């Protein structure tokens, strides 16, 4: 039987859906300041999210998802993630992600003046996260 005293509520909300609403023991994600792990009782915090793998440790095991941009609000007994998008591995089209990676790399290597480098780098990071998670 799981020790409920170490679990907290996690909600992941995207513009399309409530991606996740449940109890977690540990949540790992990537913020603009680096990797972060959150347990129940964490100090209140708001952070900016960048593309990365979201890991949710539940009573049944660990679930992973591709998380793309957003914000996280952390409180001692709950956590809310507002994300641009979030995908389970089975929802990822790896072929499409590889094509997006190729397009981003072409834009970055082209050296064209009108290329938005920050946008191309972001597209590259998103595609790499999708490929990493989708191939497992």
């Amino acid at each position: 039987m799981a020790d409920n005293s170490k679990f907290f509520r996690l909600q992941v909300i995207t513009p399309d859906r409530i991606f996740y609403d449940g109890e977690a023991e540990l949540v790992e994600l990537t913020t603009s300041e680096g990797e972060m792990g959150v347990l129940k009782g964490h100090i209140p915090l708001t952070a900016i999210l960048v593309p990365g793998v979201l890991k949710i440790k539940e009573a049944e095991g660990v679930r992973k998802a591709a998380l793309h941009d957003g914000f996280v609000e952390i409180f001692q007994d709950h956590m809310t993630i507002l994300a641009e998008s979030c995908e389970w591995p089975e929802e990822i089209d790896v072929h499409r992600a590889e094509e997006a990676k190729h397009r981003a790399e072409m834009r970055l290597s082209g050296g064209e003046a009108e290329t938005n480098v920050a946008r191309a780098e972001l597209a590259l990071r998103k595609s790499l996260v999708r490929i990493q998670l989708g191939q497992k």
Side-chain angles (χ1 to χ4, degrees):
M1 182 173 196
D3 179 8
N4 289 335
S5 65
K6 61 184 176 180
F7 288 85
F8 62 96
R9 183 171 183 205
L10 169 66
Q11 284 189 304
V12 180
I13 303 167
T14 69
D16 300 343
R17 61 185 169 160
I18 296 176
F19 179 79
Y20 182 90
D21 189 358
E23 298 292 314
E25 180 180 349
L26 169 68
V27 176
E28 295 179 52
L29 42 73
T30 307
T31 73
S32 60
E33 301 299 315
E35 295 284 325
M36 174 186 282
V38 178
L39 296 165
K40 184 176 182 176
H42 196 284
I43 61 168
L45 176 73
T46 300
I48 298 169
L49 299 174
V50 297
V53 176
L54 172 67
K55 296 176 189 164
I56 305 167
K57 183 175 180 189
E58 303 173 310
E60 300 81 28
V62 176
R63 296 182 75 183
K64 294 181 181 180
L67 176 63
H68 305 292
D69 297 326
F71 298 91
V72 60
E73 286 187 305
I74 302 168
F75 299 95
Q76 291 189 342
D77 62 349
H78 68 281
M79 179 174 171
T80 303
I81 295 172
L82 301 174
E84 176 187 304
S85 67
C86 207
E87 303 164 289
W88 297 116
E90 59 273 10
E91 297 173 334
I92 295 172
D93 182 341
V94 176
H95 179 70
R96 185 172 161 212
E98 288 171 348
E99 289 175 348
K101 175 183 175 257
H102 178 70
R103 285 191 307 273
E105 289 172 337
M106 293 300 290
R107 288 195 316 255
L108 289 169
S109 67
E112 297 174 16
E114 67 273 359
T115 298
N116 184 330
V117 174
R119 187 172 168 189
E121 288 174 343
L122 180 62
L124 180 60
R125 283 195 306 258
K126 287 180 179 182
S127 64
L128 291 172
V129 168
R130 285 182 172 121
I131 292 167
Q132 173 192 354
L133 203 57
Q135 290 180 339
K136 292 187 178 184

